Amino acid sequence: MIGLRDVTNDPIVPADCADLLDKPIVAHLATVRPDGTPQSNVMWFGWDGSRIRMSFTTKRQKLRNVQREPQVALTLVDPESPYRFLEVRGSVESVEPDEAVRFYKSLQERYSMPLPIKDGDERIIVTIRPHTYLTMAGRAPQPSEN
Amino acid sequence: MIGLRDVTNDPIVPADCADLLDKPIVAHLATVRPDGTPQSNVMWFGWDGSRIRMSFTTKRQKLRNVQREPQVALTLVDPESPYRFLEVRGSVESVEPDEAVRFYKSLQERYSMPLPIKDGDERIIVTIRPHTYLTMAGRAPQPSEN
């Protein structure tokens, strides 16, 4: 069991969890729906060392959620150790067209899943600027307590 | 790529994902903070066939979140296949003391992690009544599109 003092709350990526952002693992994205209730989605993401990028389409609920409430949170778990995980809080900084579906194709490559793309004209890039990283990696084998 | 028509939206657990609730995998719990922004936490949970139960403590932010906004969402991913996952939406039905820490001990057993319990007197049982299950298991190898 751990106390809150064991939870780090950093403006930079904790070194012991940085690899989770580099790996092609799925992120669990929490957004807030227009009625104020939460939504959780399993998502691919890209990471360039300072921003998290995801591919939405113009037709999905998630986009409407972040247009109204740009603050998001996401959790990443090491697939090989469920007690090594990272929570990222941040805000949607931009929503842009995915020109020539280049970004989505880069995600397909990152996740080794190059499938035919049927909704390329609806694909958009959602860029998240993290402001807080929470982790307990290496501290205690215990799910999140914050 | 899939369309929304491929996302099931059921009031009962989809048979092809029911095992995810039975397994000792971690859930990613989305709640809404009092300021209206989302939070995601990696959580142990129990499942009795109709309710999801989690162990919080009286001192954590999560409790304050659900006391103000009882609607929650959570996602579960098959550790062996990241494209088999389930989103559950529901509401917190009750918050009760964890008498003799029995529930938390049952979670320790479920997750094979019987550690000394130092905060037993703060442990509470949060019971979630699901109202919607969303899944794309067996339909397309694609992260959530709803």
Side-chain angles (χ1 to χ4, degrees), chain B residues 99-142:
Chain B
E99 300 290 348
V101 209
R102 274 192 295 269
F103 173 65
Y104 189 69
K105 286 177 182 168
S106 77
L107 285 183
Q108 288 190 326
E109 192 170 329
R110 171 172 157 95
Y111 287 85
S112 304
M113 196 169 285
L115 296 173
I117 299 174
K118 294 176 185 168
D119 58 357
D121 56 343
E122 296 167 10
R123 286 273 151 196
I124 52 178
I125 306 169
V126 174
T127 300
I128 298 165
R129 182 175 54 79
H131 56 67
T132 309
Y133 299 88
L134 298 102
T135 182
M136 290 189 296
R139 289 182 183 78
Q142 175 66 26

